[in-house]
Structures are given as structure tokens and as C-alpha cells.
Amino acid sequence: MRGEFPSLRFLRPGMLSCISGITAVVAGVDRCMVCIMSRASSQLAFFLCGCYMAALGVHAGEHYVADHHKAGYYVAAVYEHQSILSPNPLALTSRKEALELMNQNLDIYEQQVMTAAQKGVQIIVFPEDGIHGFNFTRTSIYPFLDFMPSPQLVKWNPCLEPQRFNDTEVLQRLSCMALKGEMFLVANLGTKQPCHSSDPGCPNDGRYQFNTDVVFSSNGTLVDRYRKHNLYFEAAVDAPLKVDHIIFDTPFAGKVGIFTCFDILFFNPAIQLLRDSEVKHIVYPAAWMNQLPLLAAIQIQSAFAIAFGINFLAANIHHPSLGMTGSGIYTPLKSFWHHDMESSKGHLIIAQVARNPQGLVGTENATGKMDPSHSKFLKILAGDPYCEKDAQEVHCDAATKWNMNAPPTFYSEMMYDNFTLVPVWGKEGYLRVCANGLCCYLLYQRPTLSKELYALGVFDGLHTVHGTYYVQVCALVKCGGLGFDTCGQEITEATGIFEFHLWGNFSTSYIFPLFLTSGMTLETPDQLGWENGHYFLRKSRLSSGLVTAALYGRLYERD
């Protein structure tokens, strides 16, 4: 999806690898700040620190490896790969030359598999386009394609049966890696399938060409393959005539689903897979170009895990000059991720993952004493009068509950869409902004004011740039400057701290919580759920300045 959306002491400024709840920001050679969420026990914090160290490859990882067969857990890895690219992807080349290039990338894959094997990894995921690269034409990509037999029709171990099919050198190497590393392996490659002119869908050149994910078991057997359905300006390959809904079984995690990059924004196959209640894990190769403020890779990956209460193993390609970085192992409650726009090297993430992920606490089963802000939020939804105080008097209007001195509404482009926004001024407030049928609300408090402009925005309509899909969005964002026209710009640093409830009267149940704080760090909502016909996100105690907090709704039926 092009243009889509070693040792700790060697990390450089600007490099970031984090755990939601434990955030390490390296500001210098010997400087590391670790922040632990207050609700985490000391035992959990110690365990997470061990995982973090293992993901970065420092010596503490040895302690972590010793416990990798903990009951109810498995060890997963994703590799963000800085791929070696063809110097001229439009030029015609031979199969031999294509294999020479791909083997350079496969050599790196093999090194990562062997490193992961030493850590007890049971499944590893590699990114989209990591082996062959991108920006090919239909003709120029052909020498890079492997023949792909259907795993549903043919049981095959390419490593042990290399002569069975021609043009399968890449599949053979991947199979041997899985066998040698004794782990499940997920990778992406280009594949070809001959077709006959009697096939009405057969392209004029007599073959289908697919963007394909493959899954190998720990003995090297080809378990399954997924052919990407939602292509992103990929003229070199075809979409399959019928959507692949691929779920494969593993001995350590049960059922696992798979899809690729741009697929994450559409109903098929992503949402359809999760209609199987036994699917609690997704593997996800991607070549995703970050687009702030709403669709950075780590934002949407984490949001998908939280929204569906699943584990999400995402491997993105690493090309910072193209805005491509952002991989992780995400669970509903904590995440292990990597975002680095400075380094030119790949990065291996390793984490211990629960076989049965635990989701966020919703309103229906929340326990404990209710804090005043949540009580106020519930009163507003129940229709009780809400009073706002300005410098001169108190306004209490039971009919509308809106301050007559409400901030002005303005318009600004965000993510190529025309958002309607209101500025977020003052240390506390209650705001509403509407567009079409969607109204977004914000109840907030700020311990201190920063010299920054924030805005509450709404969009309810068809997104038509770089893909066509219908979204409903409520977003609290930091603007690029102090002018209204800077709201929606791409920024990564912020200092504004908020405690807030964000909610809207969404007309879809498919809502993704996008949460990003300063320095490209992730936050987990305190609470998500439906209340009185509105979907809400609640958060207090931010670890750093807020960049984006958004509820990103998808209305698939209106695409």
C-alpha cells in the first residue's frame, strides 16, 4: 500500500519505541524516562519493562525469555523492515536479477527469524512489499512474482519439496526460515496465477498477479494465503474476483485472521473476519504512509485492537523519507510499538501476548466510585440543566444548556475533508459542534493553559481523496499554529494536558478511538462505550501533551 495511509544505548534522539502505559523516550545516550500508569501493579510494571527491554534487544531480555511459555500467553514478533529497493522499478529485468534483489531482503528476514527464535518467538510477521519493493508496472513486476498454488487444494512444504513447482524460490526460503526458526511465519510477496481466456475475469496477458500474504507453520508447511482485496493505487496487481476470508489455526493462539494495509479501512475482509467470535488475533502486513492528525500507522493499528478487543500484530515497512514507519503488537489494554522517523534501520519488536485478550471496561460493567466529571457527563446526556459561567454571570438554560457566548464556528481542511470546528478555549468547558446528522461534544478540564490552539471538529460525509469511504468523525486536535486555518495540519509535538469526555451521536457501531500524544506516543482511553445513544471516550491523566483524540466512525454501507 504505497502512500497509504540492537542495544538501548545506541538509540539516537528522535527514535521512539514504546509501550502504552510504559513510555520510554530516549533524549540522549544515557537518558531514558519511563512512566508507569498508576493502575498498573508493580508486578505488571516489572513484567512490561522486561518485555520492553526484550523488544529493544537489551540484556534484560534474557529474563523475559526464560518465562516465554507462561500459561495462557504466547510470544509474538513483528519486524519493521527497511527494504532494499530496485533502483528502477519501471525497468524490465530478468528472474535471476529479481531474485538477487529479493534474496538481499530475505537474508535480513532470516537474521530476524534466528534472533526471534532465541527469544522463544512462536509467530513472526513481516511487512507488505518488504521482499520485492513497490512502484512497479504490471510488466516490470512480473520477474518478481512467485507461482502460488492454492493451499486449500495442495498441501505443500516448499522447503522439503523445492522441485514440486517452478518459480517458487521466495516461498522456499520463507518455508525454510519457518522450519529452521520453529515458528509460524507471515510474509508478503507478489504471486502469479495463470488463467485461460474462457475465464471472464482473466487479464489480457493471461495471468492474475496478486499482492499476497502467506502463512507458514513451524514445520515449514504452507498453511494459507491471503490476496489483498482493497488495493491502493496498485496497477501492477489484481484484486481477487472473490474476497479471501482467511482464518488459520495455531496451537498457541487458536484462530488468527489476516489482511493487508488499506484493508483495515473497509468491511471486507477485516470486519467480516471478526464476525467469527473465536478470532481474537489478527496479523497485518502493511506499507502504510502516515497521515496526521488521524491516520498515522500506530494510531489506526492501536484503535483497531481496542475497538474489537483483539490482539493486532502489525508489521509496517520502514522508509522514513516516504513517511513510512509505525509497527507494533497491540492489545486492548497495552501496546508495544515502534515509530522512528530518524533511523534508516529496521526494528524487531517482541512481546508476550495473552491468548484471550481482555478488553476495556465499559459503562455497563464499570466499578468503583464515580468521579465528578463522569457524573457531570451522565447528567448532560440525561438532559439535566448544565450551567456555564463566564466572566460576568452564570448561564443555566434547561432547554439548550449552551452558553450564549459560545466560541465561533469555523471551517478547516483536515485529512482532505472539510471539517466544521470550534476553538477549545479556557481551562474548562462544554462544547458542541455539528455537521449533517452528527453532533460532537466535549466536556473538558485543563490543569494549566498552554500557548497552543486546540479545536473540536466534526465531519460526516464521504471521503474522496486517496480512496472513497464514508466516515463520521469527532476529533479534538492541536492546531499547527494559533490561526484557525492551521487546524488539521500535521503536527507531532504538543504540551496541552486535558481531562475530558468526547462523544457523539454516531449512526454506526464501527467506531475507532484514535489517540496520540506528543512525540508520537499512544494513550489508552480510560473508558469507551455507549451511553444514552451516544458513543463516548473518556480520559484523564495524560502522560504528555495531547496531539489528537478522535472517534473515527465508519459507515461501510454508504461507501
Side-chain angles (χ1 to χ4, degrees):
M1 171 176 172
R2 273 102 352 249
E4 293 171 52
F5 316 144
S7 169
L8 183 61
R9 65 178 183 272
F10 293 125
L11 291 172
R12 295 173 309 287
M15 182 170 178
L16 180 66
S17 293
C18 298
I19 299 172
S20 179
I22 295 183
T23 306
V25 179
V26 180
V29 173
D30 294 317
R31 225 155 132 207
C32 180
M33 179 180 70
V34 178
C35 303
I36 302 174
M37 290 173 64
S38 59
R39 66 182 176 182
S41 68
S42 59
Q43 182 179 6
L44 175 61
F46 178 78
F47 164 72
L48 287 175
C49 281
C51 288
Y52 173 72
M53 302 279 188
L56 290 178
V58 295
H59 298 300
E62 295 172 5
H63 168 78
Y64 156 76
V65 173
D67 193 32
H68 75 265
H69 284 141
K70 182 179 176 182
Y73 291 80
Y74 66 96
V75 184
V78 300
Y79 183 62
E80 180 164 309
H81 177 50
Q82 170 89 14
S83 56
I84 299 167
L85 301 174
S86 169
N88 186 0
L90 303 181
L92 301 182
T93 188
S94 66
R95 174 67 173 175
K96 179 182 177 182
E97 291 170 323
L99 285 171
E100 287 175 356
L101 176 72
M102 292 191 289
N103 276 321
Q104 293 180 66
N105 288 307
L106 289 165
D107 288 344
I108 298 171
Y109 279 26
E110 188 166 358
Q111 293 168 9
Q112 300 306 318
V113 168
M114 293 301 98
T115 299
Q118 293 173 5
K119 305 291 186 182
V121 166
Q122 294 158 280
I123 184 169
I124 188 168
V125 184
F126 291 100
E128 180 185 22
D129 297 337
I131 297 172
H132 57 279
F134 38 72
N135 292 332
F136 294 95
T137 67
R138 182 173 182 86
T139 303
S140 68
I141 200 175
Y142 182 71
F144 293 84
L145 305 180
D146 267 34
F147 171 71
M148 183 79 226
S150 171
Q152 283 81 30
L153 301 176
V154 177
K155 185 176 181 180
W156 179 41
N157 187 312
C159 187
L160 302 181
E161 303 172 88
Q163 305 304 321
R164 188 168 177 185
F165 302 103
N166 293 327
D167 291 340
T168 57
E169 292 91 341
V170 174
L171 290 170
Q172 292 168 33
R173 283 208 65 182
L174 293 171
S175 169
C176 290
M177 287 181 211
L179 177 61
K180 187 176 179 181
E182 298 183 60
M183 67 183 70
F184 272 66
L185 185 149
V186 179
N188 174 271
L189 72 159
T191 64
K192 59 187 177 183
Q193 177 185 324
C195 56
H196 195 271
S197 57
S198 60
D199 177 354
C202 184
N204 293 333
D205 52 18
R207 62 180 181 268
Y208 290 108
Q209 299 182 172
F210 296 116
N211 178 335
T212 306
D213 299 333
V214 288
V215 181
F216 293 94
S217 71
S218 57
N219 65 10
T221 298
L222 179 61
V223 174
D224 221 323
R225 59 98 176 91
Y226 166 72
R227 298 165 300 178
K228 186 177 179 184
H229 177 65
N230 298 288
L231 301 177
Y232 189 85
F233 301 104
E234 298 172 65
V237 294
D238 305 299
L241 300 179
K242 183 180 179 182
V243 182
D244 291 337
H245 294 103
I246 303 301
I247 299 171
F248 60 94
D249 287 303
T250 66
F252 48 84
K255 290 186 176 182
V256 180
I258 184 171
F259 52 85
T260 310
C261 209
F262 200 39
D263 287 328
I264 199 171
L265 293 180
F266 298 92
F267 186 85
N268 267 315
I271 309 305
Q272 187 66 43
L273 285 177
L274 294 170
R275 290 195 163 182
D276 185 333
S277 61
E278 294 184 25
V279 176
K280 299 294 184 183
H281 315 265
I282 294 290
V283 291
Y284 176 71
W288 184 280
M289 180 180 288
N290 292 301
Q291 188 175 6
L292 293 166
L294 300 180
L295 288 180
I298 61 173
Q299 270 181 304
I300 189 64
Q301 293 163 8
S302 172
F304 201 92
I306 294 171
F308 290 102
I310 60 167
N311 296 325
F312 196 76
L313 315 183
N316 196 15
I317 203 77
H318 186 78
H319 288 287
S321 63
L322 301 175
M324 291 174 162
T325 182
S327 304
I329 297 173
Y330 306 88
T331 81
L333 296 181
K334 63 177 180 287
S335 297
F336 309 77
W337 78 91
H338 177 77
H339 177 101
D340 183 5
M341 289 293 289
E342 303 293 331
S343 172
S344 60
K345 295 183 178 180
H347 189 81
L348 181 67
I349 303 171
I350 299 174
Q352 196 167 43
V353 184
R355 181 183 175 113
N356 294 304
Q358 182 180 358
L360 285 172
V361 177
T363 50
E364 68 280 354
N365 57 1
T367 58
K369 185 178 180 180
M370 186 178 297
D371 66 67
S373 69
H374 197 60
S375 177
K376 185 183 293 185
F377 161 71
L378 293 176
K379 286 182 178 180
I380 292 172
L381 280 182
D384 290 352
Y386 176 68
C387 303
E388 292 184 339
K389 183 171 68 174
D390 62 17
Q392 289 149 343
E393 60 183 311
V394 175
H395 301 274
C396 267
D397 185 341
T400 63
K401 307 187 292 293
W402 305 114
N403 188 340
M404 296 304 291
N405 297 327
T409 298
F410 65 96
Y411 303 93
S412 189
E413 185 177 282
M414 188 188 310
M415 308 292 296
Y416 302 103
D417 295 320
N418 188 28
F419 273 69
T420 304
L421 305 102
V422 291
V424 179
W425 291 335
K427 291 186 68 174
E428 62 179 8
Y430 170 39
L431 300 171
R432 178 184 69 169
V433 63
C434 300
N436 293 338
L438 178 64
C439 285
C440 302
Y441 305 82
L442 178 69
L443 179 66
Y444 69 96
Q445 289 182 318
R446 304 183 64 182
T448 58
L449 289 177
S450 59
K451 294 181 180 179
E452 299 164 305
L453 175 62
Y454 283 84
L456 173 67
V458 59
F459 179 76
D460 181 0
L462 190 67
H463 175 87
T464 57
V465 178
H466 301 155
T468 302
Y469 45 91
Y470 199 102
V471 294
Q472 288 186 329
V473 184
C474 292
L476 170 61
V477 296
K478 183 202 163 184
C479 304
L482 297 179
F484 288 171
D485 61 338
T486 69
C487 297
Q489 292 181 357
E490 298 195 23
I491 60 104
T492 60
E493 304 296 328
T495 61
I497 301 296
F498 287 79
E499 295 189 1
F500 65 93
H501 287 72
L502 173 67
W503 71 98
N505 61 331
F506 291 87
S507 50
T508 176
S509 60
Y510 299 107
I511 304 168
F512 302 91
L514 306 174
F515 218 146
L516 201 62
T517 54
S518 191
M520 294 300 292
T521 56
L522 294 173
E523 293 273 356
T524 301
D526 295 337
Q527 204 171 349
L528 286 168
W530 289 95
E531 189 69 52
N532 198 20
H534 293 72
Y535 194 80
F536 77 95
L537 179 157
R538 172 190 177 194
K539 183 63 181 179
S540 60
R541 298 180 300 279
L542 289 175
S543 62
S544 58
L546 180 67
V547 173
T548 302
L551 295 170
Y552 192 87
R554 281 286 285 114
L555 281 76
Y556 302 107
E557 69 278 8
R558 297 191 191 178
D559 288 353

